[in-house]
Amino acid sequence: MVKSDSELMIAELSALYEISSLLFLDSEEDILRESLEKAVRLFGVRYYLLFYVKEGDIEVISSWGFRNPENFNLKKLKPNQFYHSFNQVTNLKIFMEQSSPIDQRQLRIYNLFINSLENSLIKARNILMREKAERALRESEIMYRTIFENTGTGTLILEEDGTILLVNSEFERLSGYVKEEVQKKKNWKEFLSPEEKEKIMDYHKLRRNDPSAVPQNYEFQFQDKNKNLRDFYINVALIPGTSKSLVSLLDISPLKKTERELKISLKEKKMLLKEIHHRVKNNLMVISSLLNIQSRKINDAETRDIFKESQNRAKAMALIHERLYRSSDLKKINFGEYVRSLSTDIFHTYMSHDNRLDLKLQVEDIMLDIDTIVPLGLILNELVSNCLKHAFPSGKEGEIKVDFHKKGDEFVLKVIDDGIGFPNDLDYKNTSSLGLQLIYSLADQIDATIIFHRGPGTEFDILFREMAIEKE
């Protein structure tokens, strides 16, 4: 029986209604499952297949009544077999086979069905992509908010004009404000000390033109709700693609307080140490003066010389302490300057009214530690004194040369004279001379090596390295 036009119209409307229901499905799986059933009901389809073509191969995703899909050849279609490719979705394909030739009505409905199916699949894809993006955005927002809240520092985001856009809980604790009192209501400059406000706001403006022109990290004073000023360490970074900046604040007030206390303590100890050096110098000079006074009452020349030697040794040590309390460094002094002063003082002590000898100094300005200088000063005193007392008897003219320099990783101190030299039968290492015994004893204290050169004249070379400072 042939159906009337009205019956065909009703059938088509019914089919359209059933097809349109695909548009209300929100997942690809539901759409594909429903489309299988709808295709069978609408077209009396014997076989309905979904294909996914990958690198030229055909893979069956789902089928309806097809007994052996592995042997199916898409390229060899029969008259009643047809398929459609969804180009806007993927290379997904629908294959159908009918028991009788398809008529025009079925073709129209088939085309509507295919369009509806493709639109539904596109809609499902869009929904899935949007949901995926929204989920990723939510996860990203949660992650960054968690980081923002748990950096361990007071953190805030500033607008270009300095308005505070966002703060974390640590900033609330540091500032004394709650977020609602600050966010989009206060400007960053309200938290800056009056002395630093202009400078830091200039930083804020300049950073947008040339970030390298201003420091990213610096110390400043932060003013809280109660107008209390505290010391903070700040890190500022521009947020890429925006005019906003991210600010991190670390409270360093306890550290700065300790630093100030240490500076005061260090200054007090420095003053105390200067006073100690000053008093030691004065005491040594008192000893030197007492020896000088005592020597005036001694008629024996040899005994008087012993007093003079002791007086010079006290002066040598006093000169070290004088230079230390006058220096900004209470542990080291310029040994070159010390050599010049000490050698000249000793020379004038012995040769105050005699011009027959010349003193030549060739020394480098090198800073040495007091633990090294004290023994060296006494060694220099003994060597120069011995030259003046013994090297030029009976009015002999001559020259005494003092040389100090660094050679490689060693220091070299030389005392040279062109006098009569040591007697050939004298063992300078085993002598009863207190001066020579003192020289070798002092050299041992600083692990110095003594090299002795005989005639013409005499030369003593003292080779040493600076004493290592022992740590507790």
Side-chain angles (χ1 to χ4, degrees):
M1 175 180 177
V2 179
K3 292 186 178 181
S4 65
D5 290 341
S6 61
E7 290 177 321
L8 289 174
M9 180 65 69
I10 292 172
E12 288 192 19
L13 288 174
S14 176
L16 284 172
Y17 175 79
E18 187 167 348
I19 291 170
S20 65
S21 65
L22 291 173
L23 293 172
F24 296 95
L25 298 174
D26 290 337
S27 70
E28 291 181 63
E29 292 80 4
D30 290 342
I31 291 170
L32 293 175
R33 184 180 63 253
E34 288 290 322
S35 63
L36 285 172
E37 298 176 2
K38 286 179 176 18
V40 172
R41 288 197 297 270
L42 289 170
F43 311 118
V45 177
R46 290 177 55 195
Y47 307 111
Y48 178 86
L49 304 173
L50 294 174
F51 291 88
Y52 177 74
V53 181
K54 184 177 182 182
E55 297 180 358
D57 295 328
I58 298 175
E59 178 184 350
V60 177
I61 296 177
S62 59
S63 64
W64 189 283
F66 197 75
R67 297 173 182 172
N68 190 13
E70 288 80 7
N71 296 328
F72 173 73
N73 189 343
L74 185 62
K75 295 180 181 180
K76 296 180 180 180
L77 294 176
K78 296 177 182 179
N80 294 333
Q81 293 177 337
F82 48 92
Y83 71 92
H84 180 81
S85 296
F86 298 99
N87 297 322
Q88 296 186 46
V89 184
T90 61
N91 48 358
L92 185 70
K93 297 178 185 295
I94 289 183
F95 169 78
M96 294 183 182
E97 181 179 1
Q98 287 188 299
S99 57
S100 60
I102 188 168
D103 59 22
Q104 290 299 317
R105 182 186 66 82
Q106 287 177 314
L107 182 60
R108 289 197 305 272
I109 294 175
Y110 171 73
N111 289 330
L112 289 171
F113 172 76
I114 290 298
N115 291 333
S116 177
L117 179 57
E118 184 165 12
N119 290 335
S120 300
L121 288 171
I122 292 172
K123 172 191 168 186
R125 286 286 176 88
N126 290 340
I127 290 172
L128 289 173
M129 290 175 66
R130 184 175 66 251
E131 289 180 347
K132 184 178 180 181
E134 290 174 351
R135 185 168 59 253
L137 184 62
R138 286 194 300 272
E139 291 174 354
S140 176
E141 183 179 353
I142 292 170
M143 180 181 70
Y144 284 109
R145 185 171 292 277
T146 301
I147 294 172
F148 187 79
E149 284 291 340
N150 296 279
T151 59
T153 61
T155 308
L156 56 158
I157 295 176
L158 304 180
E159 295 281 13
E160 186 173 2
D161 63 355
T163 301
I164 298 174
L165 182 63
L166 193 65
V167 300
N168 68 353
S169 300
E170 180 64 12
F171 182 85
E172 287 184 304
R173 187 186 70 80
L174 294 173
S175 67
Y177 290 97
V178 296
K179 294 179 181 179
E180 290 73 17
E181 295 177 296
V182 176
Q183 293 176 159
K184 299 182 181 180
K185 295 180 181 178
K186 287 192 173 294
N187 194 286
W188 171 232
K189 62 185 176 183
E190 297 179 43
F191 295 90
L192 306 176
S193 68
E195 294 78 12
E196 298 177 311
K197 184 179 297 184
E198 183 177 353
K199 179 188 73 174
I200 294 176
M201 291 310 292
D202 284 343
Y203 283 173
H204 185 74
K205 294 176 183 177
L206 288 170
R207 187 172 286 109
R208 279 143 186 80
N209 297 323
D210 183 8
S212 63
V214 294
Q216 183 176 353
N217 308 291
Y218 54 90
E219 294 179 8
F220 80 111
Q221 286 197 312
F222 179 84
Q223 186 170 250
D224 63 16
K225 187 175 185 178
N226 298 319
K227 305 301 180 183
N228 296 319
L229 288 174
R230 284 184 288 168
D231 295 298
F232 275 76
Y233 184 78
I234 186 172
N235 178 282
V236 186
L238 290 175
I239 299 176
T242 73
S243 60
K244 300 177 177 62
S245 53
L246 179 69
V247 178
S248 296
L249 304 174
L250 181 64
D251 188 359
I252 58 171
S253 298
L255 292 176
K256 297 298 287 185
K257 180 182 178 183
T258 303
E259 182 182 334
R260 286 190 289 269
E261 291 173 349
L262 286 173
K263 284 182 178 178
I264 294 171
S265 177
L266 183 61
K267 185 176 180 180
E268 292 173 349
K269 287 179 172 59
K270 190 174 182 179
M271 292 299 297
L272 179 60
L273 194 53
K274 280 181 176 288
E275 181 63 22
I276 290 171
H277 283 305
H278 185 61
R279 293 194 180 192
V280 170
K281 174 255 180 183
N282 287 343
N283 290 337
L284 287 169
M285 292 306 294
V286 168
I287 294 171
S288 178
S289 298
L290 291 173
L291 290 171
N292 184 42
I293 293 170
Q294 190 66 39
S295 66
R296 294 174 187 173
K297 299 179 180 181
I298 299 173
N299 296 322
D300 180 63
E302 185 176 348
T303 305
R304 191 167 52 251
D305 285 343
I306 292 173
F307 271 74
K308 185 181 288 188
E309 290 171 0
S310 299
Q311 181 184 351
N312 287 339
R313 289 164 187 152
K315 281 184 178 179
M317 290 187 289
L319 184 60
I320 292 172
H321 289 282
E322 181 182 17
R323 290 190 172 275
L324 281 170
Y325 81 73
R326 293 184 186 277
S327 171
S328 58
D329 189 337
L330 297 176
K331 188 64 176 169
K332 290 188 174 186
I333 64 172
N334 187 326
F335 189 64
E337 291 182 356
Y338 175 75
V339 170
R340 295 186 193 99
S341 297
L342 181 60
S343 301
T344 303
D345 286 349
I346 298 170
F347 186 81
H348 289 305
T349 298
Y350 284 93
M351 308 297 295
S352 57
H353 303 292
D354 196 338
N355 296 324
R356 60 190 173 87
L357 297 181
D358 289 329
L359 176 65
K360 292 189 176 180
L361 303 173
Q362 189 172 348
V363 296
E364 295 180 8
D365 290 323
I366 298 173
M367 301 296 289
L368 292 180
D369 190 86
I370 184 176
D371 294 333
T372 304
I373 286 180
V374 170
L376 276 177
L378 292 172
I379 290 173
L380 179 63
N381 176 78
E382 298 303 321
L383 291 175
V384 175
S385 298
N386 281 341
C387 290
L388 293 168
K389 288 190 300 180
H390 304 297
F392 304 97
S394 304
K396 179 178 174 61
E397 295 182 354
E399 178 183 279
I400 298 173
K401 182 179 179 182
V402 179
D403 181 286
F404 171 67
H405 62 275
K406 188 172 184 180
K407 185 177 181 181
D409 60 348
E410 283 189 323
F411 299 99
V412 181
L413 175 64
K414 295 183 179 183
V415 178
I416 308 166
D417 69 71
D418 56 359
I420 61 173
F422 270 65
N424 292 329
D425 58 348
L426 178 65
D427 184 359
Y428 66 92
K429 291 185 178 180
N430 298 299
T431 178
S432 59
S433 168
L434 176 61
L436 288 175
Q437 290 179 8
L438 189 58
I439 289 170
Y440 279 94
S441 175
L442 291 168
D444 287 340
Q445 289 183 25
I446 57 174
D447 295 327
T449 301
I450 298 178
I451 300 176
F452 173 71
H453 303 277
R454 289 183 182 273
T458 306
E459 179 180 342
F460 277 92
D461 297 348
I462 314 298
L463 283 67
F464 66 96
R465 292 181 174 86
E466 191 167 12
M467 296 287 289
I469 300 174
E470 294 184 1
K471 295 182 181 180
E472 295 183 358

